[in-house]
Amino acid sequence: MTTSTPERRPRLDAAERILRGAVRCIVASGAAALTMHDVAEEAEVSKGLIHYHFHDKDTLLARVVEWMTQHLVARERAALENSTPRHAIDDLWGWLAAELDRGHVRVLLELAQWRNPLVRRAIHSASLARREASASSIERLFALLALRPRVPAQLLADVVVPFVDGLAMAMGVDPEFNPRAAFDVFWLSVLTLTD
């Protein structure tokens, strides 16, 4: 008789576990409350291992910004990859709703107030990457809908990213806030800027 063992998923490397643990801690309690002890417990590693990989809290936070941005941008780029004209707006909303639930946009906004130069440089790079991803999403959306915008996608992205940030803030402040209604009104307005 053959006994099958369940497939084991590969264990994430220590740095990845630390980053994921730090993100979970920040989403739950905020960056100001983050301690290396909490991250160590969440990631199931020693504090020494955190310091080995990230030196100090500011280095960890800068890396958290880079990590979250990389994943956020990848998810945004994938949102419309297999979309159809009929479902494009809903697919874009599906991506955004998941991001708002995940809390990473709110964390990026919080870390944008951090004074450390390393974190500020990471936030600046994150901002540029998010705007570039947004411009690509806008171009893809308009192509799917066979529309030609009168405003360049990069300029629209300079409005879309702050709009997304505003949704993340509003959800944190007002539990009754309806982000889908705001999203629909916003995109209805943007779509009027086409020929």
Side-chain angles (χ1 to χ4, degrees):
M1 181 169 162
T2 311
T3 306
S4 66
T5 58
E7 265 187 55
R8 272 203 164 146
R9 292 190 325 196
R11 187 157 167 90
L12 298 172
D13 73 348
E16 181 79 7
R17 288 195 329 267
I18 292 165
L19 289 169
R20 287 175 185 246
V23 168
R24 285 190 299 270
C25 289
I26 297 169
V27 167
S29 304
L34 184 73
T35 67
M36 295 300 203
H37 175 77
D38 292 341
V39 174
E41 283 190 357
E42 185 68 33
E44 298 177 348
V45 299
S46 69
K47 283 177 25 179
L49 191 58
I50 295 172
H51 287 288
Y52 172 79
H53 284 285
F54 300 102
H55 182 62
D56 60 16
K57 182 176 177 177
D58 289 324
T59 304
L60 175 60
L61 290 176
R63 231 357 235 124
V64 160
V65 168
E66 293 165 1
W67 184 87
M68 283 192 308
T69 302
Q70 175 187 6
H71 291 281
L72 185 148
V73 164
R75 289 186 298 265
E76 180 174 359
R77 290 188 190 281
L80 296 176
E81 193 172 283
N82 298 314
S83 193
T84 63
R86 181 179 174 99
H87 296 105
I89 294 291
D90 287 333
D91 290 343
L92 194 59
W93 167 250
W95 161 76
L96 181 54
E99 293 304 328
L100 294 172
D101 287 343
R102 196 173 275 117
H104 294 185
V105 173
R106 185 179 45 77
V107 169
L108 290 173
L109 291 171
E110 181 182 352
L111 291 174
Q113 305 306 311
W114 213 257
R115 298 238 181 256
N116 178 273
L118 190 61
V119 176
R120 293 183 73 76
R121 279 193 301 274
I123 286 290
H124 178 72
S125 294
S127 177
L128 295 175
R130 289 181 64 210
R131 290 200 324 268
E132 183 181 316
S134 180
S136 294
S137 293
I138 292 164
E139 288 171 350
R140 175 74 176 138
L141 178 66
F142 282 127
L144 281 166
L145 300 177
L147 297 172
R148 203 169 44 135
R150 288 182 277 168
V151 178
Q154 192 59 49
L155 286 177
L156 289 173
D158 289 341
V159 175
V160 171
V161 172
F163 171 74
V164 168
D165 293 349
L167 290 180
M169 286 180 61
M171 287 183 64
V173 174
D174 181 5
E176 300 298 317
F177 177 70
N178 182 349
R180 179 63 199 248
F183 173 89
D184 287 341
V185 169
F186 176 80
W187 277 103
L188 184 61
S189 300
V190 169
L191 293 174
T192 65
L193 300 173
T194 61
D195 290 328

